[in-house]
Amino acid sequence: AFRSPGAAVTPTAATPRPVAARRELVATRILDAPDVLDDFYCQLLDWSPRGDALLVALNQTVHVGRDGTGRRGARSLSVFELAEFDACVTAVAWAPAGRHAAVGTDSGTLEVVDVETKEVVRDFTGFNEGRIAAVSWNPATRSLSAGS
């Protein structure tokens, strides 16, 4: 196509777009997880909706790691045990509001736990005959789905 000198160029499909600069990724923290279940089909980590906390399933316990600011503005990570279960935890998911966590186990139990009080809000014992490998919240309806 012919254009006159000084004319503006409009991007088309044939015009190459600039490539975003790549950043080097550097770990700021490493969280050791010794009892993590080695199973590709399980959902063992989930970030909170605000991105400031992480649910981690380690064997029969669920831990919450919260990112915060410590003394003198230094970033810190506080980890606490949310709950312990009778069976191996195979799926975790934050609720859309970030106050509750859904936890599925390999015995088919599904529980909703209040993260602040550490109390079970809902208990769906025997929800599934086998393990629960995936849980997910619908942010629009606040309903919970689970599957094996």
Side-chain angles (χ1 to χ4, degrees):
F2 175 79
R3 65 169 195 221
S4 61
V9 177
T10 58
T12 63
T15 305
R17 298 191 186 274
V19 177
R22 293 187 181 187
R23 294 186 337 182
E24 290 294 323
L25 297 178
V26 178
T28 57
R29 246 183 247 74
I30 297 174
L31 180 64
D32 187 26
D35 291 331
V36 70
L37 183 65
D38 186 15
D39 190 338
F40 175 79
Y41 296 102
C42 292
Q43 179 183 341
L44 304 174
L45 300 169
D46 192 37
W47 283 101
S48 67
R50 291 188 312 231
D52 62 343
L54 180 68
L55 283 174
V56 181
L58 300 175
N59 202 0
Q60 293 180 323
T61 59
V62 176
H63 297 272
V64 177
R66 290 195 185 260
D67 194 14
T69 305
R71 293 184 5 209
R72 299 184 193 142
R75 294 186 68 173
S76 63
L77 179 68
S78 63
V79 178
F80 65 89
E81 185 176 308
L82 176 62
E84 187 165 343
F85 297 87
D86 294 333
C88 188
V89 177
T90 52
V92 293
W94 283 97
R99 180 178 168 100
H100 298 102
V103 180
T105 67
D106 64 355
S107 66
T109 299
L110 178 63
E111 293 183 358
V112 178
V113 181
D114 186 308
V115 176
E116 300 302 321
T117 64
K118 301 181 184 178
E119 293 184 17
V120 175
V121 178
R122 298 267 193 260
D123 183 2
F124 302 100
T125 303
F127 174 78
N128 197 13
E129 290 181 12
R131 73 173 176 184
I132 296 175
V135 290
S136 181
W137 292 88
N138 181 332
T141 63
R142 296 183 301 185
S143 59
L144 178 63
S145 301
S148 53

